[in-house]
Amino acid sequence: MDEQSPFASPQSSPEIPEEPAAGPNPDWSLGAQLTTRAVVAGCLIGSIIACTNIYIGLKIGWTFGASIISAVLGFSFFAMIDRRLSVLETNIAQTAGSAAGSMASAAGLVAAIPAMDMLGNPISWWELVLWSLAIAFLGVFFAVPLRRQMVLIDKLKFPTGTATAETITAMFSDGSVAIAKANYLLWSGAFAGIFTLSYYFVPQLESPPIDKWTGIAILATATAWGFKIYLGPALFGAGFLIGPRVVLSLLAGAILGWAVLGSFVQSQGWAPGDVNSFSDGPRGWILWPGVALMVSEALASVAFSWKTFIRAFQGVAAAAESGKDDSADSIPNSWWIGGLIAGSILTMVIAQLVFDIMWYYSLIAIALSSILSVVAVRSTGETDINPIGGMGKITQLVFGGMAPGQIPTNLMCAAITGAGASQAADMMQDLKTGHLLGASARKQFIAQLFGILAGVVFVVPAYVLFTNAYEIGTEDGLPAPAALAWKAMAELLANGFSALPPYSVQFVGGATVVGVLLATLRRFKTIAPYVPSGLALGIAFIVPPYYSLVMVYGLVAWLIWKAVSPQSCRNFDFAVASGLIAGEGLMGIVNAVLTICNVPSLT
C-alpha cells in the first residue's frame, strides 16, 4: 500500500510499526506478575474511580475508563515507597483497576437501574448486589474465546489498550529514545491534565461557543445539530491512534447521519421533535439505521472469518497468522465455559426473583448479549468507542416485539446486553495491553475477576448513597441523561414494533445491506484500505457529531506532524496520544471530586 494514501492508518504504514515499538522485553517475564499487592492496588484504585463514575454518569451520562489511571497510580504509589512494581505487576494492577472501574456502567447503575427507579420500580441494595454480581461476569466470559480472533489474528488496534501498554512501557523504559518518549508522554499528559482542570472552571475552554460569540446564524444551526467545537484531549489523542480510514469514516457518518439524514427526516415530519430527542427527534430516528449498519458490518465480518472464529472457541493454538503460540498461558476452556453456565443460571434466577422476568426471556437476552459482545469488542478495537447504548437499544427493540408493554423486561434484558458489551470490550482492551507487554492472559483473567468483585462492593453503596441524597432525573438533582434515554426507549417500545419512528424500518433494511456490502468489499485486499468502516459509520450516527470531529482534529494534527517531521512522528506519536488520554483520564477524577464537592466554575 502507498503510505502516502490519506486512508493509510499509522499501523499499516511500513514507516510506523505497531506500538510498543520494541515489543515485549524478554526480561519482563522474569519479574513478578499476579501478586497480592498488584491486585489490591488495582482493585482499590479502580473501585474509587467506579464510585466517582456513578456520580458523574448520573450527572452527564458519561463515565471514565480506569486502565491508564490504575497503571499510573499503582506504579507511582509503590515507586514513592521504593518498592516498584514490575512491568507485568503494573499490568495486573491496571487489569484489576479497569474491571473495578467499569462496574458503574456494567452493572447498569447509570442507565437501566436509575431508569427503573424513575419508572417507580425501586431496587433494594441487596437486590442490586445480586444483580451486579450476576450480570457483570457474563461479558468477561464472552470475551475469552474472542481474544485469539480479535487480538492475535485480526490485530485490532484497541487504542486505549495500546495507549496503556505504551504508558507502562514508558514508565519502565531506558535509553535515549525511551527517555524521550517518556518525556513526550509526561508533557502531553501534563498539558491534557491542566487543560482538563481548566475547563472545569472555564467550561468554554472545552467547547467554545463560537456561535454565540460571532452571532453567525449558520454556526448556531450547526451547533444545534451537534457540529460544534469540542476540544477533549483524550478523543483528540485517539485520532492519532485509530488511523485515517476510521477517522474519516466517523466524519462521513456524522455528516451523513446528522446533517443529511437527520435534517431530512425532520423536514419530512418523521422526527419533528428536538434534535436530540430519543422519543420523537432526529437522534432517536437515526439511531436505528446507525445500529443496523454497525451490527450488520461487524457480524458479516465475523461470518467471513468463521473458520478462525470457530478455532477461537475451540481453544486451538494461535493461528499461523498471529505468528505466536501462547497457549501455555491461555485461559482454559473449562474456566470460561463453566463460568458462563453458572453466570447464566444466576442471571436467570435473579432476574425472575427481583424483576419478575421469565427465565426464557433472560436466556434470550444472554444469547443476544453473546452476539452483540462481538460487535462491541470489534467496535472498541477499531474506534475505541464501545456503543453500549446501541447494543442495549437492539435488545430493547427485540423485546419491544416479544414482550410489548412489559417495561421492566425490556429494560433489564437490555441491561444484560449492556453488561456483556461493557465487560467484554473492557477485558479485551486489557488483554490487548497484556499481549503487547507479553503478559499471561490467564493471570489477567484472574485479576479481572477480583476487580469485578471489588467494584461491586464499592459501587452499590455509592449508588444507594447518591440516589438517597439526590432526586434522579431532574436538573436540580441528578439529571441522569443516559437513564432518561433508556426510559424513553422502553416507553416508546411498550406498544411493540408499531411504535418505531415512521419509515425507519425501510432505512434499517437499507443500512443492513450497506453494512454487509462494506464487509464484503473489505475482503478484497487491493481496495480494503479505501473501504469505509461500517462500524465507524454506524457509531457516528449514535454519538453526537462533535465526538467524531475532535478525532478529525487529532488526525489532521498527526498528518501535519508526519509531513513536517516523519522521524519524530514515527518515534513519538503514540507517546503523545497516550499522554493526552492519560492526562484527561487522571484529571477527570479530580474534576469529579470538584463536582461532588460543588466547587463552582468561574464562568
Side-chain angles (χ1 to χ4, degrees):
M1 180 200 317
D2 179 7
E3 66 173 305
Q4 300 304 318
S5 164
F7 293 91
S9 71
Q11 289 72 34
S12 67
S13 168
E15 186 177 273
I16 301 178
E18 181 178 356
E19 293 288 338
N25 187 323
D27 293 338
W28 293 348
S29 62
L30 302 177
Q33 188 164 176
L34 184 64
T35 62
T36 301
R37 65 174 187 165
V39 173
V40 170
C43 287
L44 288 176
I45 296 168
S47 296
I48 293 171
I49 294 169
C51 292
T52 62
N53 271 340
I54 291 208
Y55 183 84
I56 297 302
L58 291 175
K59 194 81 172 177
I60 62 174
W62 198 262
T63 59
F64 299 103
S67 296
I68 295 177
I69 299 169
S70 299
V72 172
L73 293 183
F75 171 84
S76 300
F77 172 76
F78 286 102
M80 286 191 298
I81 62 175
D82 200 26
R83 296 186 59 190
R84 291 203 335 173
L85 297 174
S86 71
V87 168
L88 298 185
E89 276 185 301
T90 305
N91 178 58
I92 288 296
Q94 73 85 16
T95 300
S98 174
S102 68
M103 282 309 301
S105 59
L109 299 177
V110 299
I113 297 298
M116 287 286 288
D117 284 344
M118 287 186 284
L119 288 166
N121 299 288
I123 306 167
S124 67
W125 69 267
W126 65 268
E127 291 173 329
L128 283 177
V129 170
L130 291 176
W131 172 257
S132 301
L133 286 173
I135 65 172
F137 288 104
L138 286 177
V140 174
F141 299 133
F142 291 147
V144 172
L146 300 177
R147 173 181 179 267
R148 197 171 306 282
Q149 179 69 31
M150 303 297 184
V151 175
L152 301 181
I153 297 174
D154 288 350
K155 300 186 190 310
L156 298 182
K157 296 178 180 65
F158 291 98
T160 293
T162 300
T164 304
E166 175 68 15
T167 301
I168 294 173
T169 302
M171 292 190 296
F172 287 88
S173 294
D174 54 18
S176 58
V177 174
I179 292 173
K181 281 189 176 185
N183 287 334
Y184 270 78
L185 188 149
L186 176 64
W187 285 109
S188 62
F191 169 79
I194 293 171
F195 183 81
T196 301
L197 180 62
S198 299
Y199 71 60
Y200 176 88
F201 293 103
V202 185
Q204 293 85 350
L205 291 175
E206 181 187 29
S207 184
I210 304 297
D211 57 314
K212 295 180 180 178
W213 292 346
T214 62
I216 300 176
I218 192 171
L219 291 180
T221 301
T223 298
W225 284 90
F227 291 89
K228 62 180 181 179
I229 302 295
Y230 171 75
L231 302 175
L235 290 181
F236 184 91
F240 281 39
L241 295 176
I242 63 179
R245 185 181 75 89
V246 175
V247 172
L248 294 178
S249 297
L250 286 166
L251 176 62
I255 295 172
L256 178 62
W258 291 82
V260 177
L261 188 57
S263 59
F264 173 74
V265 299
Q266 190 178 64
S267 68
Q268 295 297 307
W270 302 345
D274 182 78
V275 171
N276 288 299
S277 172
F278 281 98
S279 59
D280 64 349
R283 186 173 189 178
W285 200 102
I286 65 174
L287 177 143
W288 300 110
V291 170
L293 180 59
M294 179 177 60
V295 172
S296 62
E297 196 260 3
L299 293 182
S301 296
V302 171
F304 287 133
S305 303
W306 64 272
K307 290 183 179 179
T308 51
F309 195 73
I310 290 176
R311 286 200 297 271
F313 271 93
Q314 293 174 336
V316 177
E321 300 98 314
S322 70
K324 179 180 178 181
D325 185 357
D326 62 349
S327 57
D329 272 327
S330 63
I331 302 165
N333 284 345
S334 59
W335 289 17
W336 69 267
I337 293 175
L340 184 58
I341 293 172
S344 298
I345 293 173
L346 181 61
T347 299
M348 289 186 286
V349 170
I350 298 302
Q352 181 139 16
L353 288 177
V354 177
F355 303 109
D356 199 28
I357 298 173
M358 300 305 296
W359 66 268
Y360 48 84
Y361 283 148
S362 296
L363 184 61
I364 293 171
I366 292 169
L368 278 174
S369 184
S370 67
I371 297 172
L372 297 178
S373 290
V374 177
V375 180
V377 168
R378 288 189 62 86
S379 184
T380 304
E382 191 167 341
T383 69
D384 212 35
I385 297 174
N386 186 3
I388 298 173
M391 300 299 95
K393 297 301 181 293
I394 294 174
T395 310
Q396 286 189 278
L397 174 62
V398 170
F399 282 92
M402 293 181 57
Q406 299 182 34
I407 291 181
T409 297
N410 187 286
L411 276 174
M412 301 319 296
C413 286
I416 294 173
T417 301
S422 174
Q423 289 296 81
D426 173 75
M427 184 174 182
M428 204 64 69
Q429 292 270 28
D430 298 336
L431 291 175
K432 176 69 172 184
T433 302
H435 172 64
L436 292 173
L437 296 174
S440 164
R442 183 179 305 190
K443 292 175 180 177
Q444 282 192 273
F445 179 77
I446 295 172
Q448 190 91 9
L449 298 183
F450 277 113
I452 290 172
L453 287 171
V456 171
V457 170
F458 278 78
V459 297
V460 171
Y463 176 80
V464 173
L465 175 66
F466 287 135
T467 53
N468 284 339
Y470 302 99
E471 186 177 358
I472 302 299
T474 66
E475 291 299 325
D476 295 333
L478 293 172
L484 285 172
W486 281 55
K487 172 179 174 286
M489 192 59 61
E491 292 174 326
L492 175 69
L493 296 175
N495 296 319
F497 289 101
S498 61
L500 283 178
Y503 299 99
S504 61
V505 173
Q506 291 88 331
F507 280 82
V508 164
T512 301
V513 173
V514 172
V516 174
L517 177 61
L518 291 175
T520 304
L521 293 175
R522 287 279 292 167
R523 301 286 293 171
F524 299 95
K525 294 183 179 180
T526 54
I527 63 172
Y530 309 97
V531 177
S533 165
L535 285 169
L537 286 169
I539 287 172
F541 277 52
I542 299 171
V543 300
Y546 54 83
Y547 286 133
S548 300
L549 292 179
V550 71
M551 284 187 272
V552 174
Y553 311 153
L555 171 64
V556 171
W558 180 84
L559 291 172
I560 293 173
W561 186 6
K562 181 181 177 183
V564 173
S565 181
Q567 183 67 35
S568 173
C569 181
R570 180 168 62 249
N571 287 337
F572 304 120
D573 57 350
F574 269 78
V576 170
S578 299
L580 292 173
I581 294 172
E584 183 175 6
L586 288 170
M587 195 55 67
I589 301 303
V590 176
N591 283 6
V593 173
L594 294 174
T595 302
I596 292 173
C597 295
N598 292 317
V599 176
S601 64
L602 299 178
T603 59

